[in-house]
Amino acid sequence: MSVSLRTIHEALVDAGLVTAVDGSLPAEVSLVTDDSRRVVMGALFVAVRGSTADGHDYLEAAERAGAAAAIVETSGRTTLPAIRVSDGRRAAAVAAAAFHGWPAKALRMLGVTGTSGKSTTVAMLRHLFDAPAGSSASIGTLGVVRGSAGADVSDIDGLTTPGPVELQGVLRQLAMAGVRTVSMEVSSHALAQQRVGTVSFDAAVYTNLSHEHLDYHKSMEAYLAAKARLTEMLAPNGVVVINADEPAWRDLPATPRRISFGMHTSADVSARDATFGPRGSRWTLVTPDAEAEVALPLLGDFNVMNALGAAATAWTLGIPTSMVAERLASVQQVPGRLERIWSRPTVLRDYAHKPDALARALDAVRPFVTSHKRIITVVGCGGDRDRAKRPVMGRIAQEKSDLVIITSDNPRTEDPESILDEMAAGMTGTAYERIEDRREAIARALRVADEEDVVVLAGKGHETYQIRGTTKYHFDEREIVQELMRGKEQGVTSEGRGA
C-alpha cells in the first residue's frame, strides 16, 4: 500500500502543524510509523517526543531501515527529507489518519473514560450495538474485540488506548471488515498524549473518578482536566453521557447534548428496585420514554452502573429501551472482571488494582458470603507505579475480607518485598499473611478455603503474564487455579466442580 505524501502534507498543513519542509519529499510513502523497529522501505517515520524517549534519537535507525522521509520537530537531526511540525504527537495522529483514509469518519465512535468500569462498559456497548452480528467492535485493555461473542481478539500491547498511529490502522481494519460501531476505552494518558486527537466521538461516556495515575498526572485536578478533554472531541451532534452519582463530572464543560445515568441521584436513565444475587442482578431500566425489566448476569451494583452507562448511550443513539433490556440479559462475563474461574470454593479473578475498584469488587461479593464462611483476598500492587495507593489497598483489603494474603502483582523493577512493606503499612495487627510469590499465595488461599468460601484474586484480572524486572513471564491465574485445584482434589471426583 502506498499513499501520496502530498495528501499527508496537506492534512498536516490544514491542521496548522507544518513549520517548514527540509529537502525534496518523495511522491509516495508505503507506511506511517512512529516506531523505528517497524520501518519498511519507503516508510514515513514520525519522530515523537515521548515521556521516556525521544523519537529524534531513532531517526538514524529509521533511515538505515529504509525510511523515505520523516516528520520532525527539530531540524538537523537527519539527512532524510523531512516535514517540520510544531507538535510531533499531534502530527503522528494526523499523518496516520490521512494515510489510512480517515477511517473514524466511516464509524460511529463511542469513547468511554473514567477510573473504573471502562472495560466492562465498552464490552456492553459492543454487545448492545452488535446487530446484525459482527457490526460492532471494542478497543481497550482487553484488546480489539469484534462481535457479541468476543471473537477475533487481537492484542494492542497492553495499552488501554492504542498509540495514535496504531489506532488508525486498527480503525481502518475494522471499517474494512464491515464494523460500523466502535466503543473504545479512552484513558487519561491517551487524552493527555493526544492519541485520539483526530477522532470525533458520537458519544463520550464518563463512568467515575477516583485516585489513580497520580504518578503521571501529579494531582487529581490534572487527572480530571485530562478526562475533561474528551468533551472537546465530540462530533457536531455528539452526546456526553455522565454518571450523575459522580460529583466530579459536574465541573465538565457544558455541551449541547447531555444525558445522565445513576442509581442514587436523579438521572435521565436509572435503575429501580434493584435486587442482587450470586449470579447477577434484577432491576427495572427507566429511560425518558419507557421502562423494561432487566436480568443482568454480572455481579455487583457497580455493574448495574456500567450497564446504565451503556444503556443511556444506546438509548440516546436510537436503540429502544426494550431492546436494550433484552440484550443486557445476554451480556457475557467480561474477562478478569469478577470472572468466576472455579466453583466450590468460588474463585473470582478481578482486575482491581486501585483502591476504589478493590472496594467495589469486595463489596459486590460480601452479600453472598454466609456468616460462617469467608472472603479470602489475594492482592498486590504494581511496581514502578503510584506508591501512595499501596497502604490504601492494604487497608481496604483487610477491612473488607476475612483473610488477606498480600503478594506481588507486577513488581517490575522495584523490590517486591518493599512493595509489600508499603502495603502492610496500611494494615493493622497480624490478621493477614504475606507471601511474595504470587503462585504460592494463590496456593495458600486455595488450601485454606472451604467449599463455601469465596477467593478473590485481585489485581491482574485478564492478564496472562507477570512482569519482573523488565521481563514478562507467563502467568495465567485461570490455568494456575485449575492446576492447583485438580491437585488438591486428586483422588476425589471433581465432576461438576470446575467453572
Short mmCIF file of all heavy atoms in Angstrom, two decimals, residues 48-55 89 159 189 192-193 195 215-218 385:
data_model
loop_
_atom_site.label_atom_id
_atom_site.label_comp_id
_atom_site.label_asym_id
_atom_site.label_seq_id
_atom_site.Cartn_x
_atom_site.Cartn_y
_atom_site.Cartn_z
N VAL A 48 8.47 11.25 17.47
CA VAL A 48 7.61 11.75 18.54
C VAL A 48 8.41 11.83 19.84
O VAL A 48 9.10 10.88 20.21
CB VAL A 48 6.38 10.84 18.74
CG1 VAL A 48 5.53 11.33 19.91
CG2 VAL A 48 5.55 10.79 17.46
N ARG A 49 8.31 12.95 20.51
CA ARG A 49 8.94 13.08 21.83
C ARG A 49 7.98 12.53 22.87
O ARG A 49 6.92 13.09 23.13
CB ARG A 49 9.26 14.55 22.14
CG ARG A 49 10.46 15.08 21.38
CD ARG A 49 10.98 16.37 21.99
NE ARG A 49 12.25 16.76 21.41
CZ ARG A 49 12.40 17.62 20.41
NH1 ARG A 49 11.32 18.17 19.88
NH2 ARG A 49 13.60 17.92 19.93
N GLY A 50 8.36 11.39 23.48
CA GLY A 50 7.51 10.77 24.49
C GLY A 50 7.96 11.14 25.88
O GLY A 50 8.89 11.93 26.08
N SER A 51 7.32 10.54 26.88
CA SER A 51 7.65 10.83 28.27
C SER A 51 8.94 10.16 28.70
O SER A 51 9.60 10.60 29.64
CB SER A 51 6.50 10.39 29.18
OG SER A 51 6.19 9.02 28.96
N THR A 52 9.32 9.08 28.01
CA THR A 52 10.55 8.36 28.38
C THR A 52 11.56 8.28 27.25
O THR A 52 12.70 7.89 27.49
CB THR A 52 10.21 6.93 28.86
OG1 THR A 52 9.54 6.23 27.80
CG2 THR A 52 9.32 6.97 30.08
N ALA A 53 11.17 8.60 26.03
CA ALA A 53 12.10 8.50 24.89
C ALA A 53 11.78 9.58 23.86
O ALA A 53 10.65 10.07 23.79
CB ALA A 53 12.02 7.12 24.25
N ASP A 54 12.79 9.94 23.08
CA ASP A 54 12.65 10.96 22.04
C ASP A 54 12.85 10.29 20.69
O ASP A 54 13.92 9.75 20.39
CB ASP A 54 13.69 12.06 22.26
CG ASP A 54 13.56 13.21 21.27
OD1 ASP A 54 12.77 13.08 20.30
OD2 ASP A 54 14.24 14.23 21.46
N GLY A 55 11.79 10.32 19.86
CA GLY A 55 11.86 9.68 18.55
C GLY A 55 12.95 10.23 17.66
O GLY A 55 13.42 9.54 16.74
N ARG A 89 3.44 14.73 18.42
CA ARG A 89 2.35 13.83 18.84
C ARG A 89 1.12 14.03 17.96
O ARG A 89 0.53 13.08 17.45
CB ARG A 89 1.98 14.08 20.30
CG ARG A 89 2.96 13.54 21.33
CD ARG A 89 2.36 13.74 22.72
NE ARG A 89 3.28 13.41 23.78
CZ ARG A 89 3.46 12.19 24.27
NH1 ARG A 89 2.80 11.17 23.75
NH2 ARG A 89 4.31 11.98 25.26
N LEU A 159 -1.99 -1.71 26.17
CA LEU A 159 -2.40 -0.34 26.44
C LEU A 159 -3.92 -0.25 26.48
O LEU A 159 -4.61 -0.88 25.68
CB LEU A 159 -1.86 0.60 25.35
CG LEU A 159 -0.36 0.83 25.32
CD1 LEU A 159 -0.01 1.68 24.11
CD2 LEU A 159 0.13 1.48 26.59
N HIS A 189 -4.15 9.03 30.07
CA HIS A 189 -2.87 9.13 29.37
C HIS A 189 -3.11 9.43 27.88
O HIS A 189 -2.44 10.27 27.29
CB HIS A 189 -2.08 7.83 29.49
CG HIS A 189 -1.55 7.55 30.86
ND1 HIS A 189 -2.35 7.15 31.90
CD2 HIS A 189 -0.29 7.61 31.37
CE1 HIS A 189 -1.62 6.97 32.98
NE2 HIS A 189 -0.36 7.26 32.69
N ALA A 192 -4.17 13.01 27.43
CA ALA A 192 -3.05 13.94 27.64
C ALA A 192 -2.05 13.87 26.49
O ALA A 192 -1.43 14.87 26.14
CB ALA A 192 -2.37 13.64 28.97
N GLN A 193 -1.91 12.67 25.89
CA GLN A 193 -0.91 12.46 24.84
C GLN A 193 -1.50 12.55 23.43
O GLN A 193 -0.81 12.23 22.47
CB GLN A 193 -0.25 11.10 25.06
CG GLN A 193 0.53 10.99 26.36
CD GLN A 193 0.93 9.56 26.70
OE1 GLN A 193 0.72 8.63 25.90
NE2 GLN A 193 1.51 9.37 27.87
N ARG A 195 -3.58 10.76 21.75
CA ARG A 195 -3.64 9.54 20.95
C ARG A 195 -4.92 9.47 20.12
O ARG A 195 -4.97 8.79 19.09
CB ARG A 195 -3.56 8.31 21.85
CG ARG A 195 -2.25 8.13 22.58
CD ARG A 195 -2.27 6.84 23.37
NE ARG A 195 -1.43 6.90 24.54
CZ ARG A 195 -1.50 6.05 25.56
NH1 ARG A 195 -2.37 5.06 25.53
NH2 ARG A 195 -0.71 6.19 26.61
N ASP A 215 0.95 9.25 39.71
CA ASP A 215 2.38 9.22 39.40
C ASP A 215 2.63 9.93 38.07
O ASP A 215 3.72 10.46 37.84
CB ASP A 215 2.90 7.78 39.34
CG ASP A 215 2.09 6.88 38.41
OD1 ASP A 215 0.87 7.11 38.27
OD2 ASP A 215 2.67 5.95 37.84
N TYR A 216 1.63 9.95 37.20
CA TYR A 216 1.74 10.60 35.89
C TYR A 216 1.15 12.01 35.92
O TYR A 216 1.78 12.98 35.47
CB TYR A 216 1.04 9.76 34.82
CG TYR A 216 1.11 10.35 33.42
CD1 TYR A 216 2.20 10.10 32.61
CD2 TYR A 216 0.08 11.13 32.92
CE1 TYR A 216 2.28 10.63 31.32
CE2 TYR A 216 0.14 11.67 31.65
CZ TYR A 216 1.24 11.41 30.85
OH TYR A 216 1.31 11.95 29.58
N HIS A 217 -0.07 12.15 36.44
CA HIS A 217 -0.78 13.43 36.38
C HIS A 217 -0.42 14.38 37.53
O HIS A 217 -0.71 15.57 37.46
CB HIS A 217 -2.29 13.19 36.36
CG HIS A 217 -2.76 12.49 35.13
ND1 HIS A 217 -2.80 13.08 33.89
CD2 HIS A 217 -3.21 11.22 34.94
CE1 HIS A 217 -3.26 12.22 33.00
NE2 HIS A 217 -3.51 11.08 33.61
N LYS A 218 0.12 13.83 38.62
CA LYS A 218 0.62 14.61 39.78
C LYS A 218 -0.48 15.11 40.70
O LYS A 218 -0.23 15.31 41.88
CB LYS A 218 1.50 15.78 39.33
CG LYS A 218 2.65 15.40 38.40
CD LYS A 218 3.53 14.31 38.97
CE LYS A 218 4.65 13.95 38.01
NZ LYS A 218 5.43 12.77 38.49
N ARG A 385 4.80 2.21 39.82
CA ARG A 385 3.52 2.89 39.69
C ARG A 385 3.24 3.66 40.98
O ARG A 385 4.03 3.65 41.91
CB ARG A 385 2.39 1.88 39.42
CG ARG A 385 2.52 1.10 38.10
CD ARG A 385 2.41 2.01 36.89
NE ARG A 385 2.39 1.26 35.63
CZ ARG A 385 3.46 0.96 34.92
NH1 ARG A 385 4.67 1.31 35.37
NH2 ARG A 385 3.34 0.30 33.77
#
